[in-house]
Amino acid sequence: MESSDLSELVTLHGNAIYGFCHKLAKNKSDTDDLYQETFLRAMELRHKIDKNNNPKGFLISIAIGLWKNKRRKFAWRLRIAPIQEMKEDVESDHLFRDESTPEDILLSNERCVKIAAATDALNDKLKIPLYMYYTAEMSIEEIASALKIPPGTVKSRLFQARKALRNTLELEVDQDARF
């Protein structure tokens, strides 16, 4: 694959890759870093990218590998030299959506925060396919190819993730109803 072909991939899949990176990294600066590192690595590995065989999945698998390495290194540093963990900012871009009333905006924001918190609480085996499916809009076959797991496993993990989210969110609704 030539550099121009990689540029074409950025044009085609850049937004989906950036959205996926944002779901993993949770803040803009880390997202920008992860996005850039993903395409830098893709530039190094461009000889392995097949334009006809799920290049978006290949790019997402690079992003996942980089993100896991970064988390592992951060956890190692915390063990060696503990520091205060940085609080991850809650997405604020949904705060300024054009909604009809302030009450709708408030309810929508609360719902988004609860869903984001419930999704973040999932383990990586469930969270990553969920982000790939909904954020990167990848098919089950593309996710299976990128993660190198069978499509049935992807379906199972998506089902388990949805079930876990449903249980968590229903539990929160029940707790809110008590007060």
Side-chain angles (χ1 to χ4, degrees):
M1 176 177 273
E2 298 295 322
S3 297
S4 61
D5 294 333
L6 192 59
S7 176
E8 184 179 319
L9 288 179
V10 172
T11 304
L12 287 174
H13 306 298
N15 288 337
I17 303 294
Y18 188 84
F20 182 77
C21 290
H22 186 68
K23 287 293 180 188
L24 292 177
K26 306 291 182 215
N27 65 46
K28 182 164 177 28
S29 65
D30 290 342
T31 300
D32 291 343
D33 290 344
L34 181 59
Y35 181 76
Q36 289 174 1
E37 289 173 19
T38 299
F39 281 101
L40 284 174
R41 183 68 55 93
M43 189 70 156
E44 293 171 3
L45 300 173
R46 66 179 184 260
H47 64 280
K48 291 184 177 180
I49 299 174
D50 182 7
K51 278 177 52 173
N52 302 322
N53 189 15
N54 194 12
K56 184 172 150 184
F58 187 80
L59 294 171
I60 291 232
S61 66
I62 290 173
I64 291 169
L66 291 170
W67 176 70
K68 284 182 176 179
N69 283 342
K70 191 173 185 176
R71 279 188 23 183
R72 189 177 58 240
K73 287 177 185 175
F74 183 72
W76 178 250
R77 280 190 207 124
L78 282 179
R79 276 186 251 141
I80 294 173
I83 57 172
Q84 287 185 329
E85 284 190 50
M86 294 175 25
K87 290 186 177 180
E88 295 177 355
D89 293 334
V90 176
E91 262 185 69
S92 61
D93 59 346
H94 61 277
L95 294 175
F96 301 106
R97 287 187 186 154
D98 188 21
E99 300 279 338
S100 58
T101 65
E103 292 167 336
D104 290 341
I105 294 170
L106 180 66
L107 292 174
S108 175
N109 289 341
E110 283 183 19
R111 200 173 314 124
C112 288
V113 168
K114 286 181 180 178
I115 291 170
T119 306
D120 288 343
L122 295 173
N123 67 29
D124 289 346
K125 283 188 176 183
L126 301 180
K127 185 173 25 178
I128 289 174
L130 196 69
Y131 285 158
M132 293 171 85
Y133 189 77
Y134 289 108
T135 303
E137 298 177 357
M138 296 175 68
S139 70
I140 289 174
E141 289 76 23
E142 290 172 333
I143 295 169
S145 171
L147 297 178
K148 298 178 177 111
I149 56 177
T153 304
V154 174
K155 289 179 186 175
S156 172
R157 289 181 183 175
L158 287 172
F159 175 77
Q160 291 173 12
R162 290 182 195 123
K163 184 178 175 183
L165 288 176
R166 187 178 315 116
N167 290 339
T168 302
L169 295 173
E170 285 176 357
L171 183 65
E172 286 182 12
V173 169
D174 289 343
Q175 288 176 348
D176 290 343
R178 290 183 191 163
F179 296 108

